[in-house]
């Protein structure tokens, strides 16, 4: 057996069909775009802003307008 060459010799048929096994390779897909803030977090922040505005109006107007 030769040391430097492959141990098996490749044999190709002279006639007929030639088949080869397909080696599965990694398939890369597009990256998914995710929002920086979730919808629930945006709703929560909106509710907090509305509550802060309502508390500001109930305490005597907007901040900075007092004399």
């Amino acid at each position: 057996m030769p040391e430097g060459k492959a141990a098996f010799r490749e044999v190709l048929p002279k006639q007929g069909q030639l088949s080869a096994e397909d080696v599965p390779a990694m398939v890369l897909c597009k990256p998914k775009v995710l929002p920086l803030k979730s919808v629930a977090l945006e709703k929560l922040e909106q509710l907090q802003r509305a509550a802060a505005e309502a508390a500001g109006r109930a305490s005597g107007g907007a901040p900075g307008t007092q004399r």
Side-chain angles (χ1 to χ4, degrees), residues 26-39:
M26 286 184 84
V27 177
L28 300 177
C29 60
K30 292 174 126 179
K32 297 184 193 281
V33 179
L34 299 174
L36 295 177
K37 289 185 178 180
S38 68
V39 176

Side-chain angles (χ1 to χ4, degrees), residues 6-63:
F8 297 101
R9 192 176 64 118
E10 185 176 302
V11 177
L12 297 175
K14 301 279 185 214
Q15 59 184 349
Q17 292 183 346
L18 177 66
S19 65
E21 291 184 27
D22 187 25
V23 178
M26 286 184 84
V27 177
L28 300 177
C29 60
K30 292 174 126 179
K32 297 184 193 281
V33 179
L34 299 174
L36 295 177
K37 289 185 178 180
S38 68
V39 176
L41 181 62
E42 288 179 1
K43 286 182 181 178
L44 179 63
E45 288 177 346
Q46 184 180 10
L47 287 173
Q48 287 176 341
R49 273 188 250 115
E53 288 176 7
R57 277 188 254 129
S59 67

